[in-house]
Amino acid sequence: MSFWEKLLNAIGNTAGNALSAVVEAIRTVFEGDPETRRKVAFSVAIIALSAKMAKADGIVSEKEVEAFREIFEFPQDQAKNVARLYNLARQDVAGYEAYAERLSTLCVTCAANCTVLEDVLDGLFHIAKADGLIHEKELNFLRHIGEIFEMSETRFEQIAARHVSSGGDPYKVLGVLPSDDFPTIRRRYHGLVSEHHPDRLISRGVPKEFHVIANERMAALNAAYEAIEKERRAA
């Protein structure tokens, strides 16, 4: 039995209050298997919050569905189970704030600017920009999610800058100031590269399929560093 089947069997035919049932099922069904529990918790966070984001925006484009599949690959024989969970989240009476609050408690390593929750936000940004534009309602949704995740405004802006289609402010992407000297910027860059290496994501319980986001994130960091380096050399 797949972990999706275990999860949905534990939930049963819940209607209207799916969130509490899902969170409790994750806590109990996978209690003795922390690695699977982390993977399930992360996957549920992506499914549930992307469903809520689609509802907030009012439009679910084919490109957003494709983006969802890029970062969240699942066996074809589990498509119905994933779709059921997505629809439960979309139809649940609980708002996305409640989802974000409850799902964030599943991360036992959580603290301010939690890296696991940053991974979730990156996934949501990837889906939101799939149609070529992050709409204002989507950005407001994501910003509020960041607040609920206790993400600092600076950290959120850093994440958002990585996803701006025209290329974000390289200083924001690296979380540094234009007034910082280059050795400081270089240390910051190397620290971020180490922190966000794909192997680190796997160790945090992020599904291996999330390598699309890891590669996208690394490309943004590299591009920002190269832009600053070029600017400093020309000065």
Side-chain angles (χ1 to χ4, degrees), residues 119-137:
D119 294 335
V120 172
L121 266 178
D122 255 335
L124 294 173
F125 263 107
H126 180 77
I127 295 169
K129 71 179 183 183
D131 56 3
L133 177 69
I134 299 178
H135 300 279
E136 184 178 354
K137 287 183 178 179

Side-chain angles (χ1 to χ4, degrees), residues 80-93:
K80 288 185 178 179
N81 289 326
V82 173
R84 182 182 165 198
L85 189 57
Y86 184 94
N87 287 327
L88 278 172
R90 189 174 57 182
Q91 297 168 14
D92 193 356
V93 294

Side-chain angles (χ1 to χ4, degrees), residues 13-210:
N13 295 317
T14 305
N17 193 25
L19 171 62
S20 296
V22 169
V23 173
E24 188 56 33
I26 294 172
R27 290 188 190 282
T28 56
V29 174
F30 307 103
E31 185 176 8
D33 186 353
E35 183 176 347
T36 300
R37 179 182 168 185
R38 285 196 301 271
K39 181 174 181 177
V40 173
F42 178 87
S43 300
V44 167
I46 292 290
I47 293 172
L49 292 175
S50 63
K52 290 296 186 182
M53 183 167 66
K55 189 172 182 179
D57 182 46
I59 301 172
V60 182
S61 71
E62 193 62 35
K63 288 183 178 180
E64 287 177 331
V65 174
E66 290 174 7
F68 178 83
R69 287 302 301 264
E70 283 176 358
I71 64 169
F72 187 70
E73 187 177 334
F74 47 83
Q76 192 56 43
D77 63 358
Q78 295 303 312
K80 288 185 178 179
N81 289 326
V82 173
R84 182 182 165 198
L85 189 57
Y86 184 94
N87 287 327
L88 278 172
R90 189 174 57 182
Q91 297 168 14
D92 193 356
V93 294
Y96 73 86
E97 297 93 343
Y99 265 72
E101 289 167 1
R102 291 297 300 277
L103 290 169
S104 68
T105 67
L106 293 172
C107 178
V108 295
T109 62
C110 256
N113 297 325
C114 172
T115 51
V116 174
L117 297 181
E118 180 173 343
D119 294 335
V120 172
L121 266 178
D122 255 335
L124 294 173
F125 263 107
H126 180 77
I127 295 169
K129 71 179 183 183
D131 56 3
L133 177 69
I134 299 178
H135 300 279
E136 184 178 354
K137 287 183 178 179
E138 291 173 324
L139 185 58
N140 289 338
F141 173 95
L142 292 165
R143 188 180 298 280
H144 196 191
I145 292 293
E147 292 171 355
I148 294 170
F149 284 175
E150 297 185 8
M151 198 76 63
S152 71
E153 184 176 349
T154 299
R155 189 65 170 244
F156 179 84
E157 293 297 336
Q158 182 184 350
I159 297 168
R162 293 200 294 259
H163 295 277
V164 176
S165 59
S166 60
D169 179 338
Y171 292 96
K172 276 190 177 181
V173 172
L174 297 184
V176 295
L177 299 172
S179 58
D180 289 337
D181 60 31
F182 193 67
T184 298
I185 293 172
R186 184 170 54 238
R187 285 194 298 272
R188 173 65 174 167
Y189 164 71
H190 286 304
L192 288 170
V193 167
S194 176
E195 178 184 346
H196 295 299
H197 191 279
D199 289 347
R200 287 288 186 94
L201 270 70
I202 293 172
S203 70
R204 295 202 290 263
V206 176
K208 64 181 184 297
E209 294 82 9
F210 210 68

